[in-house]
Amino acid sequence: MKNLGPWWIRLPLLFFAIFGLTEFFVDSGDKPAFLDQPIVALFLGFILLLLVGIELILASIENVMFQTLSEEAKERYLASKQQGFEWAWGKRMYEKLLGSKPIEAEGEIILDHNYDGIRELDNKLPPWWVYMFYATIIFGVVYLVRFHVFHDYDQDTEYLTEMTLAEAEIAEYKKNAKDLVDVNTVEVLTDASDIAAGKNIFETNCVACHMADGGGGIGPNLTDQNWILGGDIKSVFNTISEGGRDGKGMIAWKQSLKPLEMAQVSSYVLKFQGTTPANPKAPEGDIIVNPHMDVEGAPAVDSVLIEVEVDTLEFTKTIDEEGSVIE
């Protein structure tokens, strides 16, 4: 009977194998299964106690059977347990790659040199070292042909490619991770769940100043086309996040609301456009057409405020010898 390893190695290996299988088959999202579902923790605890019990039972049986053996059999049994597990193929490969001569065969490679009784052995390089040296030569030839003969990509191209892929992955991650939204990436949310969440946030925090129907009170009317700080989704999000005008606007909500919550309530606020509140407050600010409002529901307006930024271009004339303008 060969010893397959001490119990303090067998037991953890078996337990963590079962633990890994449990985590693989139990769907618990981002959290570990034993934290997400208490029943899994109880199951793993039971498995650990069971494994410990099995080891104790096996040790007891082994001890009882050992006591029934004769002295000669006890010696053979103890000798067999000391042998342990041996990987024959691995041992042969190790000796082959090492390439060393046993002490008994050193007489075959001893040299004639003698330095005060010290003899030198003619050892060859270990095969593993020689094989690795050959591998570096092959790698060098392939590298030379690929990058210096056929001129494959260089470091600059590789860097730009990796950066482009990384930026695309970051953009995709931010697109799916709604809590990373900011004033530059926020978009109007249209899912019913997001609108319902925005409505709940509005009714919890905003009705005191804007009324439940958005008609306005202490705060401005949200149903007309007049906006003090802008009526697009980015402007509304920024107003909620940073607050209104200094001294008389609403407070900044970025410390109380998460980015996703501010995006949800901003999208809900834009739903008030074109509705008719019970007691609408007088318009405040400038008329700005909300690009997210349905055209059919938009009230008629006399004028629209349009802001245009124009860059100043500087032209240079190039004149030839005859006085004609070339450029």
Side-chain angles (χ1 to χ4, degrees), residues 50 74 89 104 106 163 180 232 234 236 254 292 301 304 316 321:
L50 182 62
K74 289 181 180 179
W89 180 85
E104 297 80 8
E106 284 186 351
M163 289 298 296
L180 293 180
D232 62 292
K234 296 183 185 297
V236 175
K254 60 184 178 182
H292 311 293
V301 295
V304 178
T316 302
E321 297 178 353

PDB file of all heavy atoms in Angstrom, residues 50 74 89 104 106 163 180 232 234 236 254 292 301 304 316 321:
ATOM      1  N   LEU A  50     -17.710  16.474   7.015  1.00  0.00           N
ATOM      2  CA  LEU A  50     -17.763  15.117   6.483  1.00  0.00           C
ATOM      3  C   LEU A  50     -16.373  14.625   6.088  1.00  0.00           C
ATOM      4  O   LEU A  50     -16.000  13.483   6.385  1.00  0.00           O
ATOM      5  CB  LEU A  50     -18.703  15.071   5.283  1.00  0.00           C
ATOM      6  CG  LEU A  50     -18.912  13.698   4.622  1.00  0.00           C
ATOM      7  CD1 LEU A  50     -19.541  12.730   5.604  1.00  0.00           C
ATOM      8  CD2 LEU A  50     -19.763  13.835   3.370  1.00  0.00           C
ATOM      9  N   LYS A  74       4.121  -5.796  10.090  1.00  0.00           N
ATOM     10  CA  LYS A  74       4.153  -4.376  10.449  1.00  0.00           C
ATOM     11  C   LYS A  74       5.342  -3.680   9.814  1.00  0.00           C
ATOM     12  O   LYS A  74       5.238  -2.555   9.316  1.00  0.00           O
ATOM     13  CB  LYS A  74       4.198  -4.227  11.968  1.00  0.00           C
ATOM     14  CG  LYS A  74       2.911  -4.581  12.678  1.00  0.00           C
ATOM     15  CD  LYS A  74       3.050  -4.379  14.176  1.00  0.00           C
ATOM     16  CE  LYS A  74       1.763  -4.728  14.910  1.00  0.00           C
ATOM     17  NZ  LYS A  74       1.898  -4.552  16.382  1.00  0.00           N
ATOM     18  N   TRP A  89       7.634   8.400 -15.310  1.00  0.00           N
ATOM     19  CA  TRP A  89       7.908   9.113 -16.562  1.00  0.00           C
ATOM     20  C   TRP A  89       8.553  10.465 -16.290  1.00  0.00           C
ATOM     21  O   TRP A  89       9.519  10.864 -16.956  1.00  0.00           O
ATOM     22  CB  TRP A  89       6.619   9.293 -17.344  1.00  0.00           C
ATOM     23  CG  TRP A  89       6.833  10.021 -18.651  1.00  0.00           C
ATOM     24  CD1 TRP A  89       7.205   9.469 -19.837  1.00  0.00           C
ATOM     25  CD2 TRP A  89       6.693  11.429 -18.870  1.00  0.00           C
ATOM     26  NE1 TRP A  89       7.314  10.444 -20.799  1.00  0.00           N
ATOM     27  CE2 TRP A  89       7.006  11.657 -20.232  1.00  0.00           C
ATOM     28  CE3 TRP A  89       6.344  12.511 -18.069  1.00  0.00           C
ATOM     29  CZ2 TRP A  89       6.968  12.924 -20.799  1.00  0.00           C
ATOM     30  CZ3 TRP A  89       6.316  13.784 -18.631  1.00  0.00           C
ATOM     31  CH2 TRP A  89       6.619  13.987 -19.988  1.00  0.00           C
ATOM     32  N   GLU A 104      28.799   6.804  -9.726  1.00  0.00           N
ATOM     33  CA  GLU A 104      29.444   5.539 -10.055  1.00  0.00           C
ATOM     34  C   GLU A 104      30.087   5.550 -11.432  1.00  0.00           C
ATOM     35  O   GLU A 104      31.014   4.769 -11.702  1.00  0.00           O
ATOM     36  CB  GLU A 104      28.436   4.395  -9.974  1.00  0.00           C
ATOM     37  CG  GLU A 104      27.844   4.144  -8.592  1.00  0.00           C
ATOM     38  CD  GLU A 104      26.726   5.134  -8.270  1.00  0.00           C
ATOM     39  OE1 GLU A 104      26.331   5.890  -9.190  1.00  0.00           O
ATOM     40  OE2 GLU A 104      26.256   5.151  -7.114  1.00  0.00           O
ATOM     41  N   GLU A 106      31.410   8.347 -12.989  1.00  0.00           N
ATOM     42  CA  GLU A 106      32.253   9.513 -13.209  1.00  0.00           C
ATOM     43  C   GLU A 106      33.625   9.145 -13.762  1.00  0.00           C
ATOM     44  O   GLU A 106      34.311   9.972 -14.367  1.00  0.00           O
ATOM     45  CB  GLU A 106      32.427  10.293 -11.900  1.00  0.00           C
ATOM     46  CG  GLU A 106      31.204  11.105 -11.533  1.00  0.00           C
ATOM     47  CD  GLU A 106      31.448  11.976 -10.314  1.00  0.00           C
ATOM     48  OE1 GLU A 106      32.507  11.812  -9.675  1.00  0.00           O
ATOM     49  OE2 GLU A 106      30.583  12.811 -10.009  1.00  0.00           O
ATOM     50  N   MET A 163      -3.949  50.986 -27.853  1.00  0.00           N
ATOM     51  CA  MET A 163      -4.684  52.130 -27.299  1.00  0.00           C
ATOM     52  C   MET A 163      -6.086  52.216 -27.898  1.00  0.00           C
ATOM     53  O   MET A 163      -7.062  52.513 -27.198  1.00  0.00           O
ATOM     54  CB  MET A 163      -3.920  53.423 -27.548  1.00  0.00           C
ATOM     55  CG  MET A 163      -2.651  53.565 -26.723  1.00  0.00           C
ATOM     56  SD  MET A 163      -2.992  53.601 -24.945  1.00  0.00           S
ATOM     57  CE  MET A 163      -3.945  55.116 -24.810  1.00  0.00           C
ATOM     58  N   LEU A 180     -21.423  54.932 -14.213  1.00  0.00           N
ATOM     59  CA  LEU A 180     -20.254  55.714 -14.595  1.00  0.00           C
ATOM     60  C   LEU A 180     -20.634  56.894 -15.490  1.00  0.00           C
ATOM     61  O   LEU A 180     -19.761  57.587 -15.990  1.00  0.00           O
ATOM     62  CB  LEU A 180     -19.242  54.827 -15.327  1.00  0.00           C
ATOM     63  CG  LEU A 180     -18.580  53.731 -14.489  1.00  0.00           C
ATOM     64  CD1 LEU A 180     -17.607  52.937 -15.345  1.00  0.00           C
ATOM     65  CD2 LEU A 180     -17.848  54.332 -13.293  1.00  0.00           C
ATOM     66  N   ASP A 232     -31.628  70.707 -22.488  1.00  0.00           N
ATOM     67  CA  ASP A 232     -31.261  69.400 -23.037  1.00  0.00           C
ATOM     68  C   ASP A 232     -30.844  68.488 -21.895  1.00  0.00           C
ATOM     69  O   ASP A 232     -30.664  68.929 -20.755  1.00  0.00           O
ATOM     70  CB  ASP A 232     -30.140  69.549 -24.062  1.00  0.00           C
ATOM     71  CG  ASP A 232     -28.881  70.124 -23.445  1.00  0.00           C
ATOM     72  OD1 ASP A 232     -28.887  71.313 -23.058  1.00  0.00           O
ATOM     73  OD2 ASP A 232     -27.903  69.390 -23.307  1.00  0.00           O
ATOM     74  N   LYS A 234     -28.061  67.016 -21.099  1.00  0.00           N
ATOM     75  CA  LYS A 234     -26.790  67.315 -20.438  1.00  0.00           C
ATOM     76  C   LYS A 234     -26.939  68.508 -19.500  1.00  0.00           C
ATOM     77  O   LYS A 234     -26.383  68.518 -18.386  1.00  0.00           O
ATOM     78  CB  LYS A 234     -25.703  67.581 -21.481  1.00  0.00           C
ATOM     79  CG  LYS A 234     -25.375  66.382 -22.367  1.00  0.00           C
ATOM     80  CD  LYS A 234     -24.244  66.689 -23.316  1.00  0.00           C
ATOM     81  CE  LYS A 234     -23.987  65.535 -24.284  1.00  0.00           C
ATOM     82  NZ  LYS A 234     -23.574  64.314 -23.592  1.00  0.00           N
ATOM     83  N   VAL A 236     -29.761  69.589 -18.021  1.00  0.00           N
ATOM     84  CA  VAL A 236     -30.597  69.207 -16.883  1.00  0.00           C
ATOM     85  C   VAL A 236     -29.791  68.353 -15.906  1.00  0.00           C
ATOM     86  O   VAL A 236     -29.855  68.548 -14.681  1.00  0.00           O
ATOM     87  CB  VAL A 236     -31.855  68.454 -17.362  1.00  0.00           C
ATOM     88  CG1 VAL A 236     -32.669  67.956 -16.177  1.00  0.00           C
ATOM     89  CG2 VAL A 236     -32.709  69.360 -18.239  1.00  0.00           C
ATOM     90  N   LYS A 254     -25.432  65.988  -6.240  1.00  0.00           N
ATOM     91  CA  LYS A 254     -24.430  64.964  -6.546  1.00  0.00           C
ATOM     92  C   LYS A 254     -23.944  64.228  -5.308  1.00  0.00           C
ATOM     93  O   LYS A 254     -23.395  63.123  -5.427  1.00  0.00           O
ATOM     94  CB  LYS A 254     -23.243  65.590  -7.277  1.00  0.00           C
ATOM     95  CG  LYS A 254     -22.516  66.671  -6.492  1.00  0.00           C
ATOM     96  CD  LYS A 254     -21.406  67.294  -7.330  1.00  0.00           C
ATOM     97  CE  LYS A 254     -20.697  68.409  -6.567  1.00  0.00           C
ATOM     98  NZ  LYS A 254     -19.652  69.046  -7.416  1.00  0.00           N
ATOM     99  N   HIS A 292     -35.678  66.468 -27.196  1.00  0.00           N
ATOM    100  CA  HIS A 292     -36.173  65.138 -26.812  1.00  0.00           C
ATOM    101  C   HIS A 292     -37.701  65.089 -26.733  1.00  0.00           C
ATOM    102  O   HIS A 292     -38.256  64.053 -26.410  1.00  0.00           O
ATOM    103  CB  HIS A 292     -35.588  64.737 -25.457  1.00  0.00           C
ATOM    104  CG  HIS A 292     -34.100  64.923 -25.390  1.00  0.00           C
ATOM    105  ND1 HIS A 292     -33.228  64.182 -26.130  1.00  0.00           N
ATOM    106  CD2 HIS A 292     -33.349  65.804 -24.672  1.00  0.00           C
ATOM    107  CE1 HIS A 292     -31.990  64.569 -25.875  1.00  0.00           C
ATOM    108  NE2 HIS A 292     -32.041  65.547 -24.999  1.00  0.00           N
ATOM    109  N   VAL A 301     -44.450  78.447 -30.473  1.00  0.00           N
ATOM    110  CA  VAL A 301     -43.622  79.508 -29.899  1.00  0.00           C
ATOM    111  C   VAL A 301     -43.412  80.583 -30.943  1.00  0.00           C
ATOM    112  O   VAL A 301     -43.447  80.348 -32.151  1.00  0.00           O
ATOM    113  CB  VAL A 301     -42.261  78.954 -29.432  1.00  0.00           C
ATOM    114  CG1 VAL A 301     -42.452  77.978 -28.297  1.00  0.00           C
ATOM    115  CG2 VAL A 301     -41.517  78.275 -30.575  1.00  0.00           C
ATOM    116  N   VAL A 304     -37.273  81.438 -31.194  1.00  0.00           N
ATOM    117  CA  VAL A 304     -36.368  80.435 -30.638  1.00  0.00           C
ATOM    118  C   VAL A 304     -34.995  81.068 -30.470  1.00  0.00           C
ATOM    119  O   VAL A 304     -34.500  81.732 -31.385  1.00  0.00           O
ATOM    120  CB  VAL A 304     -36.274  79.199 -31.551  1.00  0.00           C
ATOM    121  CG1 VAL A 304     -35.276  78.200 -30.968  1.00  0.00           C
ATOM    122  CG2 VAL A 304     -37.640  78.549 -31.711  1.00  0.00           C
ATOM    123  N   THR A 316      -4.218  83.759 -45.956  1.00  0.00           N
ATOM    124  CA  THR A 316      -2.937  84.275 -46.420  1.00  0.00           C
ATOM    125  C   THR A 316      -2.900  84.193 -47.941  1.00  0.00           C
ATOM    126  O   THR A 316      -3.196  83.143 -48.521  1.00  0.00           O
ATOM    127  CB  THR A 316      -1.778  83.456 -45.829  1.00  0.00           C
ATOM    128  OG1 THR A 316      -1.858  83.509 -44.408  1.00  0.00           O
ATOM    129  CG2 THR A 316      -0.433  84.010 -46.287  1.00  0.00           C
ATOM    130  N   GLU A 321       4.954  86.607 -59.564  1.00  0.00           N
ATOM    131  CA  GLU A 321       5.668  87.784 -60.041  1.00  0.00           C
ATOM    132  C   GLU A 321       4.790  88.711 -60.863  1.00  0.00           C
ATOM    133  O   GLU A 321       5.016  89.922 -60.903  1.00  0.00           O
ATOM    134  CB  GLU A 321       6.870  87.342 -60.879  1.00  0.00           C
ATOM    135  CG  GLU A 321       7.902  86.542 -60.066  1.00  0.00           C
ATOM    136  CD  GLU A 321       9.038  86.085 -60.939  1.00  0.00           C
ATOM    137  OE1 GLU A 321       8.945  86.276 -62.173  1.00  0.00           O
ATOM    138  OE2 GLU A 321      10.021  85.536 -60.381  1.00  0.00           O
TER     139      GLU A 321
END
